[in-house]
Amino acid sequence: MGRQVQIRRHGGSDVLEVVEQHPEQPGAGCVRVANQAIGMNFIDVYGREGLYPIPSFPSGLGTEGAGIVEAVGDGVTAFSPGDRVAYAQGPLGAYGSWHCLPEKHLVALPDDISFETAAAAMLKGMTVQYLLRQTHCVEAGDTVLFHAAAGGVGSLACQWANALGVRLIGTVSTPEKAARARELGAWATIDYTREDVVARVRELTDGRMCDVVYDSVGKDTWEMSLDCLAPRGLMVSFGNASGPVEGVNLAILNKKGSLFVTRPSLAGYATTPERTRSMAAELFEVIRSGQVVVPVGQRFSLDRVGEAHDALTERRTTGSTILIP
């Protein structure tokens, strides 16, 4: 028997329950992974709450983890039982002691990358990879604004941007998070609970503002983020922590300086096994080189999954949060 987290309806953290289940036999083209560590992300909260509707109940939750291949289905050629693997996409159900998913979503996990590091880094790290290396290929000397700079994605972005010579201005909510972001490589930080973000960006950049704004907050920061951009700057809205951005008036982009806007996701970049593995390889290389250290701020057992979700939504976490099956 194995343990899986399930939800039977959308709602708060109280809808999360741990149940015992027999491991599935993987179907054709699929692999069953014995999870050693599981990544937890804000997108999991969106699914639990219903912002991203779940098609049927009961349902598993989570899409990120790392572990050992237990069994393979017909037609699987890239992996065998005993292989170390990691994943960031696929069907819901990563919150558990095992997970079945198509082999196209798996990447081989090098021996020098731990399971915990992989579970903490796959979704967030590949997100940073596409944000900094594909959505806008940042260059040394660029100035960018990154919201939630001490969070899971932000903690990696601070380091990766610093390694590329990019001046990253990170927004944070406490002095402690500001110190953490600077320690990780942020060029400057802004405490949005105490400072005027737009005015502070203008001061830091001598009025030039930012080439790119990376915004995972959504509704609450939309207008502010646009005001932090230089003319013809790029607004990258890649999350909805405060709720989705709605009712966008395109004319405002012209009014604020012929701005560009994109709403990307990992699924739009990791579109083939080859692209997925290439992105993961670049992530593993910056981790291996020491340019990016994956901070695991919190570890929770599956039994404490509700507590883990509450800590995330109440912004009481730093770095990545992982579940241990």
Side-chain angles (χ1 to χ4, degrees):
M1 295 289 284
R3 298 197 308 156
Q4 304 292 117
V5 173
Q6 281 191 351
I7 61 173
R8 300 181 184 278
R9 57 182 173 83
H10 292 303
S13 61
D14 59 308
V15 304
L16 298 163
E17 57 180 312
V18 180
V19 300
E20 290 194 352
Q21 285 188 344
H22 289 288
E24 291 179 28
Q25 291 303 311
C30 292
V31 174
R32 187 174 77 231
V33 178
N35 285 330
Q36 305 299 301
I38 303 153
M40 197 179 78
N41 302 281
F42 235 106
I43 195 170
D44 305 340
V45 175
Y46 300 159
R48 189 203 77 210
E49 293 179 335
L51 179 61
Y52 294 168
I54 289 173
S56 63
F57 295 103
S59 173
L61 206 62
T63 61
E64 178 185 40
I68 300 168
V69 173
E70 277 191 326
V72 301
D74 292 340
V76 171
T77 58
F79 302 99
S80 302
D83 287 349
R84 303 174 84 249
V85 294
Y87 56 91
Q89 299 185 91
L92 296 176
Y95 283 19
S97 53
W98 52 267
H99 188 33
C100 280
L101 67 165
E103 71 168 324
K104 66 181 180 181
H105 295 310
L106 292 170
V107 300
L109 182 61
D111 290 340
D112 56 353
I113 305 292
S114 73
F115 292 118
E116 287 198 1
T117 295
M122 279 294 291
L123 183 59
K124 301 173 188 69
M126 290 175 64
T127 296
V128 174
Q129 195 279 339
Y130 81 69
L131 290 174
L132 299 184
R133 307 293 290 151
Q134 298 188 70
T135 302
H136 179 86
C137 193
V138 295
E139 299 178 350
D142 285 352
T143 301
V144 307
L145 182 70
F146 209 102
H147 289 298
V153 174
S155 294
L156 304 185
C158 287
Q159 298 174 75
W160 207 328
N162 183 58
L164 294 169
V166 173
R167 302 192 304 177
L168 183 148
I169 303 170
T171 69
V172 295
S173 59
T174 67
E176 293 77 18
K177 289 186 176 184
R180 180 59 176 159
R182 289 193 298 270
E183 179 183 313
L184 291 169
W187 176 65
T189 57
I190 302 172
D191 185 338
Y192 64 82
T193 69
R194 307 175 183 209
E195 300 177 274
D196 182 317
V197 173
V198 178
R200 184 66 176 134
V201 167
R202 186 174 292 112
E203 179 183 0
L204 287 167
T205 63
D206 295 325
R208 291 188 294 270
M209 311 308 281
C210 296
D211 302 291
V212 189
V213 172
Y214 294 104
D215 189 336
S216 61
V217 179
K219 179 179 65 175
D220 289 353
T221 51
W222 169 254
E223 289 272 356
M224 175 179 67
S225 292
L226 295 180
D227 288 337
C228 290
L229 283 167
R232 298 178 302 283
L234 174 63
M235 168 68 170
V236 182
S237 177
F238 70 100
N240 310 288
S242 67
V245 177
E246 297 176 338
V248 175
N249 178 3
L250 291 179
I252 200 171
L253 304 180
N254 174 50
K255 180 180 178 181
K256 292 182 181 293
S258 297
L259 304 178
F260 295 86
V261 175
T262 184
R263 179 59 174 88
S265 67
L266 178 59
Y269 285 86
T271 52
T272 66
E274 294 75 22
R275 288 181 64 89
T276 300
R277 290 162 192 167
S278 175
M279 293 169 66
E282 185 172 2
L283 170 63
F284 293 153
E285 183 52 39
V286 295
I287 292 172
R288 185 180 290 113
S289 70
Q291 293 176 310
V292 171
V293 177
V294 182
V296 178
Q298 300 76 216
R299 295 170 176 83
F300 293 88
S301 67
L302 279 184
D303 293 329
R304 298 172 62 204
V305 63
E307 181 184 339
H309 269 230
D310 288 341
L312 186 64
T313 57
E314 293 167 9
R315 303 183 186 279
R316 291 187 281 109
T317 64
T318 56
S320 295
T321 302
I322 61 172
L323 300 172
I324 305 299

